[in-house]
Amino acid sequence: DTGVSQDPRHKITKRGQNVTFRCDPISEHNRLYWYRQTLGQGPEFLTYFQNEAQLEKSRLLSDRFSAERPKGSFSTLEIQRTEQGDSAMYLCASSLGEGLGDNYNEQFFGPGTRLTVL
Amino acid sequence: QKEVEQDPGPLSVPEGAIVSLNCTYSNSAFQYFMWYRQYSRKGPELLMYTYSSGNKEDGRFTAQVDKSSKYISLFIRDSQPSDSATYLCAMRKGGSEKLVFGKGTKLTVNP
């Protein structure tokens, strides 16, 4: 499978616990994005990476959230001291990021990690 | 007012119908427009990607962008039960990587 993969697919945790999600982008895609989607809403942008550099962060990304992409390949999103309001689908996407034509920054999404905070 | 408005539906049509889905937006800086399809509990799947105004056709799908009216549409011809999903519009400003999504419209195509 050459698409974006995310792990785990589902995570149930208790309030106050830390959780970490992993995203593996499409091979050779330079850009990687994190979004959050709550029930009945469209995805909301959290942050994105160009290779290993984190270039943009949403104000939604509170100080309890941290994302990394240490070698410019896979990325992790960690949520510390989870709250019930963190319950959502966390989506990762990737794009080629460079090249000719207007499709080089098309964002392709993974299946998501569904987080439930009890 | 949200930057992108999309009627959440639900929309129910018979098989074979032409479906029209729409979004309006308020920020004239948006230049790139997308439609994604999302099945229940799955990630969004990119259907159409357009730059600026105009039409783009791909099989049974046609995307239209009218920047003067700040209005985008997705048409689905000969709709099939497998088209039943939530359709999300998304857009992006030039020079920004952030996609701004509508709420999504839930479509059901009845056999």
Side-chain angles (χ1 to χ4, degrees):
Chain A
D1 190 341
T2 57
V4 177
S5 61
Q6 293 186 245
D7 183 70
R9 295 292 307 278
H10 301 92
K11 178 70 176 179
I12 299 174
T13 191
K14 292 183 179 179
R15 189 179 55 178
Q17 298 294 305
N18 299 344
V19 294
T20 300
F21 310 140
R22 176 181 170 124
C23 170
D24 286 88
I26 294 171
S27 179
E28 298 180 351
H29 276 196
N30 295 318
R31 292 183 180 164
L32 186 148
Y33 313 81
W34 286 99
Y35 290 82
R36 181 175 70 185
Q37 185 177 26
T38 54
L39 200 62
Q41 303 296 318
E44 294 175 293
F45 174 83
L46 292 177
T47 188
Y48 98 94
F49 293 83
Q50 168 80 30
N51 297 315
E52 66 276 7
Q54 188 173 17
L55 296 185
E56 189 173 351
K57 291 199 294 186
S58 164
R59 57 182 171 78
L60 292 175
L61 211 67
S62 76
D63 56 5
R64 296 186 298 107
F65 288 70
S66 63
E68 293 182 344
R69 195 182 182 198
K71 296 181 180 179
S73 56
F74 73 91
S75 175
T76 57
L77 177 68
E78 181 183 17
I79 308 174
Q80 295 183 328
R81 305 182 303 281
T82 52
E83 301 173 354
Q84 288 184 323
D86 297 332
S87 296
M89 173 85 92
Y90 289 84
L91 294 161
C92 176
S94 69
S95 73
L96 197 56
E98 296 173 2
L100 299 176
D102 62 3
N103 64 342
Y104 69 91
N105 53 11
E106 292 177 350
Q107 295 183 24
F108 296 91
F109 283 81
T113 294
R114 183 168 296 278
L115 173 66
T116 301
V117 181
L118 302 176
Chain B
Q1 181 187 9
K2 298 197 82 171
E3 280 191 290
V4 180
E5 298 280 358
Q6 183 176 11
D7 186 340
L11 182 61
S12 182
V13 302
E15 183 175 355
I18 297 174
V19 177
S20 172
L21 303 166
N22 312 292
C23 287
T24 59
Y25 62 95
S26 57
N27 193 332
S28 58
F30 287 130
Q31 293 183 14
Y32 299 87
F33 304 91
M34 287 131 273
W35 285 95
Y36 284 84
R37 177 174 63 194
Q38 187 172 29
Y39 292 112
S40 182
R41 298 183 175 270
K42 304 289 186 185
E45 172 194 5
L46 182 63
L47 286 176
M48 302 289 280
Y49 180 99
T50 54
Y51 170 67
S52 195
S53 287
N55 294 356
K56 185 173 183 179
E57 188 173 321
D58 184 1
R60 296 184 295 111
F61 299 91
T62 299
Q64 288 185 350
V65 175
D66 182 348
K67 290 191 73 179
S68 63
S69 301
K70 298 190 181 67
Y71 188 88
I72 69 171
S73 301
L74 178 71
F75 297 95
I76 307 174
R77 290 182 298 281
D78 188 25
S79 56
Q80 303 295 310
S82 58
D83 294 328
S84 299
T86 294
Y87 289 81
L88 296 154
C89 65
M91 43 200 82
R92 182 173 68 82
K93 301 173 193 175
S96 172
E97 291 299 310
K98 171 186 169 183
L99 291 184
V100 180
F101 283 85
K103 277 189 171 184
T105 299
K106 185 176 173 63
L107 171 68
T108 301
V109 181
N110 301 299

